[in-house]
Amino acid sequence: MTGLSSYDLAGLVEKVREHTGGEVDRSIPALASADADLVAVALVSVDGEVAASDDAGVLFSLQSAVKPFLFALALADSDGAALDRVGIEPTGEAFDAIKLESGTGRPPNPMVNAGALLTASLVDGDDVAERDERILRGLSAFAGRSLEVDEEIARDEHLLGDRNHALAHLMRSEGTLTVTADDAVAVYARACATLVDARALAVMGATLAHGGRNPLTGERVVSAAVARDVVSVMATCGVYDGSGRWMRSVGIPAKSSVSGALVLAAPGVLGAATISPPLDERGTSVRGHAAADIISADLDLHAFGGLC
Ligand code: GLU
């Protein structure tokens, strides 16, 4: 995509500031005290062009925006066998619904908490420390720079994530989770606590959009087949029970998160990321959604846009 670096992101940020609705998540202290006025956007094309708004270097925790990348690493490390352990159908329910696939006891899909607890347990590593290390290394390769974990957020997510502990125990009882419930929550919590900025998250999205190759470093992070599987599931389940509405209006596979981050992957074109903490009732950033609507229209990125 040529001319991306001249896209008027300052104008876009001003436009989406007019959307004042939504509530900041209060599940852990770091999220409750997030700056509700922060709005940052970054775009990275598959040929390495970057556009970033003023605050695109402000750090925030990935939270559920990590889920596509955990799924990617689990698929890569299991040679695709992760697909036998987790479903890929949308739930139409909230991110932390206490619900497993009927008949199999598998988590419904990798974009909800049950699925991400499971995929985080499938990455290479014999114990929590080895899986933590593998995930941080993998996420850093997606981002094209060394990422770090916010230890306080990781600890709070681990301690306060009662529903995640419940989901992990439920999967243990079904025999679908093979590590201990506490180990599963610890690894997932730490992955959620990985710090990125909008620019790094856009590079991560661009790596998926580029078939698994990081467009800035040139590193092949996962295979094209893995990237295709991940982006497909983002398209159908990435915005939880708002995924249908999202695909209709934005038309770009994406993943939302309680920190107010969104990561988007427009196959073969670009990756994008937005951060704005106030969330709608389905856990999607209000201003992020507005920004994605505008970016999709301006750059003609809707997957089915050719129909009109
Ligand atoms: N850390 C959050 C949790 O597991 C992530 C949820 C989200 O971002 O939607 O509760």
Side-chain angles (χ1 to χ4, degrees):
M1 164 161 286
T2 50
L4 189 67
S5 48
S6 57
Y7 186 69
D8 180 17
L9 284 182
L12 173 73
V13 167
E14 280 324 300
K15 235 183 265 175
V16 302
R17 276 195 194 286
E18 291 163 15
H19 295 259
T20 52
E23 295 286 332
V24 170
D25 181 80
R26 311 219 165 268
S27 58
I28 58 167
L31 293 177
S33 63
D35 175 7
D37 291 329
L38 172 67
V39 183
V41 185
L43 308 173
V44 176
S45 74
V46 296
D47 32 49
E49 236 186 309
V50 178
S53 71
D54 283 351
D55 286 332
V58 175
L59 292 173
F60 52 88
S61 57
L62 271 172
Q63 301 296 333
S64 283
V66 79
K67 287 170 176 165
F69 305 99
L70 291 177
F71 183 36
L73 297 175
L75 285 169
D77 289 359
S78 67
D79 208 10
L83 277 171
D84 299 330
R85 304 277 301 274
V86 58
I88 53 167
E89 300 304 332
T91 58
E93 293 192 44
F95 68 97
D96 56 357
I98 307 284
K99 184 177 175 184
L100 300 179
E101 209 175 62
S102 64
T104 66
R106 303 186 310 175
N109 74 66
M111 301 298 138
V112 294
N113 285 19
L117 285 158
L118 192 88
T119 54
S121 80
L122 296 179
V123 300
D124 274 347
D126 289 335
D127 55 27
V128 168
E130 284 186 16
R131 285 194 291 279
D132 284 346
E133 197 275 326
R134 161 64 180 140
I135 289 170
L136 193 57
R137 194 162 32 86
L139 297 177
S140 297
F142 271 107
R145 69 171 176 83
S146 285
L147 301 178
E148 289 177 10
V149 170
D150 183 314
E151 298 298 339
E152 193 181 320
I153 295 180
R155 196 193 57 225
D156 287 350
E157 291 274 346
H158 187 184
L159 283 176
L160 303 174
D162 289 326
R163 290 182 77 85
N164 290 334
H165 285 276
L167 282 165
H169 281 288
L170 194 58
M171 289 190 287
R172 278 288 290 185
S173 75
E174 292 286 343
T176 45
L177 179 71
T178 49
V179 304
T180 71
D182 195 62
D183 281 5
V185 177
V187 173
Y188 167 71
R190 209 176 154 78
C192 286
T194 307
L195 296 173
V196 292
D197 52 28
R199 188 184 185 282
L201 187 54
V203 178
M204 295 172 80
T207 301
L208 289 176
H210 195 30
R213 189 187 291 280
N214 185 311
L216 298 191
T217 64
E219 180 180 352
R220 169 151 301 287
V221 183
V222 291
S223 70
V226 164
R228 192 189 68 170
D229 282 348
V230 172
V231 174
S232 303
V233 177
M234 288 167 77
T236 48
C237 321
V239 191
Y240 306 129
D241 45 342
S243 296
R245 274 162 285 234
W246 176 274
M247 272 313 279
R248 181 196 158 270
S249 74
V250 180
I252 306 171
K255 183 72 205 79
S256 58
S257 113
V258 289
S259 57
L262 277 159
V263 57
L264 290 78
V269 187
L270 58 72
T274 62
I275 173 75
S276 168
L279 308 173
D280 68 16
E281 61 285 0
R282 295 182 185 83
T284 306
S285 167
V286 172
R287 288 172 168 151
H289 195 154
D293 275 335
I294 296 171
I295 292 166
S296 174
D298 282 354
L299 302 180
D300 197 15
L301 295 175
H302 196 296
F304 308 113
L307 297 176
C308 14

